[in-house]
Amino acid sequence: MKKHLWIVLLLVVALAVPVMANQAAKVFVDGQELKTDVPPQNVNGRILVPLRAIAEGLGKTVDWNNETKTVTVTGVSELDKVEAISTEWGATRKTGYNAYPAGRGYSCAKCHEGNSFSTGEFDEAKISGMTCQSCHTGNGKELMDQGKVGGLNVDYAWLNDYEAGTGALCMSCHNANRDPEAEFAKQTDGMRNAGRNLSYPHYSGNAALYTGLGGMEYPDMTYAKSFAHPKLEDSCTSCHMPKTEDGYKAHSFKMDEAYISQTCGSCHAGIDSYDYNGFQTDLYNKLKKVEKAILADTGAAELSSGGGQLIFLDSEGNAIPAEKISQEAYVAYYNYKLVKAEGSMGIHNPKYAKSLLENSYKALTGNDL
């Protein structure tokens, strides 16, 4: 049976409207009137309000111990939650101006600068860094509300209109920023120009791998794909924003093993490591073999990148001319970089990650990986 706990309105005077003796009191929490199952009471000139209703309205939990006649209020306030979220987001280092490559204009600012992302326009005088408003107002909010990618920063046939729930917001930038089919066609058509068209998958190509749509594929090869992860209702946020003990969704976006039972464990019972059945270890070994094969085929001593291009360096640190790089070596390096750099070590779409590496290796060497 729920106990009605009362508190004298001394510490919460800001929550109630002053009343006359014969006037009903009203209680407000964060500007919203709080309806209670028992009304506030005027006792000898003091307004008593139900503690439980107000505490729960502030996001706290109230327990009554009948044996000890003790009331316990636990949990953090909404303000505490906001501060925790702000701290987590700040630790991602996306909040400062340094997240925006100065002088690059809208092409970079649309994903690296908060005001540009939210409004779809670039204004040098309004550079804000990535703040709460960047995602929760304007274009960011629209992306989450519509639940599918497209209309802001993405204009690739392979990803536009992809159903992603609230993760559509994430995918609008974290998508490798390349159309792999178009880049593949450039090589097929013999359009290579030294140092200028060996395009690489841009940083944070998570959506490219997750969807199973953004790797560089040979049209005559078969690519297996995992469908369990891409079927998650809210895609990215389903796993990267677990609910904390304090009742808010984490905003660090890191895959913390402290929450593994809530994220991966919701499907993989008993899992205690992201290296599920040794998959990440196996994929790492495949990456090393692909890298070795690329170096052998091109005669390069090191693989590098810069200026939006994949670069193959010789033993003296000089870039090997693009026209000397085979299409097979380019495709292998493109997929190698995509899988290695996107962060999940293949977990976002295990079968697809393996297929990209195995088919690239097969085309480059003639052997199975």
Side-chain angles (χ1 to χ4, degrees), residues 50-64:
L51 171 63
R52 182 185 296 277
I54 290 179
E56 291 179 347
L58 292 170
K60 296 182 178 292
T61 300
V62 179
D63 292 313
W64 166 255

Side-chain angles (χ1 to χ4, degrees), residues 5 9 24-25 39-40 93-94 107 117 156 216 221 224 230 246 337 340 361:
L5 309 172
L9 191 57
R93 297 184 298 177
K94 298 180 185 295
S107 63
F117 181 84
Y156 309 120
M216 189 169 285
M221 286 185 162
D246 290 328
K337 186 170 181 62
K340 183 179 181 181
Y361 187 85

Side-chain angles (χ1 to χ4, degrees), residues 4-141:
H4 295 298
L5 309 172
W6 298 90
I7 182 171
V8 177
L9 191 57
L10 294 176
L11 300 179
V12 289
V13 291
L15 300 177
V17 177
V19 296
M20 302 300 289
N22 61 349
Q23 183 181 2
K26 294 182 179 180
V27 178
F28 291 81
V29 175
D30 291 335
Q32 299 295 318
E33 185 176 356
L34 182 67
K35 300 295 185 181
T36 60
D37 53 356
V38 290
Q41 297 181 13
N42 187 329
V43 179
N44 298 325
R46 291 185 174 184
I47 302 298
L48 303 184
V49 295
L51 171 63
R52 182 185 296 277
I54 290 179
E56 291 179 347
L58 292 170
K60 296 182 178 292
T61 300
V62 179
D63 292 313
W64 166 255
N65 188 317
N66 194 50
E67 293 184 1
T68 62
K69 309 300 181 186
T70 302
V71 178
T72 304
V73 180
T74 57
V76 297
S77 68
E78 294 303 310
L79 178 59
D80 290 333
K81 292 178 184 179
V82 170
E83 290 180 346
I85 289 171
S86 298
T87 298
E88 290 177 358
W89 175 244
T92 66
R93 297 184 298 177
K94 298 180 185 295
T95 56
Y97 298 145
N98 63 339
Y100 164 65
R104 300 289 181 86
Y106 182 69
S107 63
C108 290
K110 64 184 180 182
C111 281
H112 289 271
E113 194 278 304
N115 184 66
S116 298
F117 181 84
S118 180
T119 65
E121 299 176 354
F122 177 64
D123 186 339
E124 189 83 44
K126 295 181 180 180
I127 294 176
S128 66
M130 300 300 289
T131 65
C132 301
Q133 288 78 8
S134 305
C135 294
H136 293 280
T137 63
N139 288 325
K141 184 178 185 301

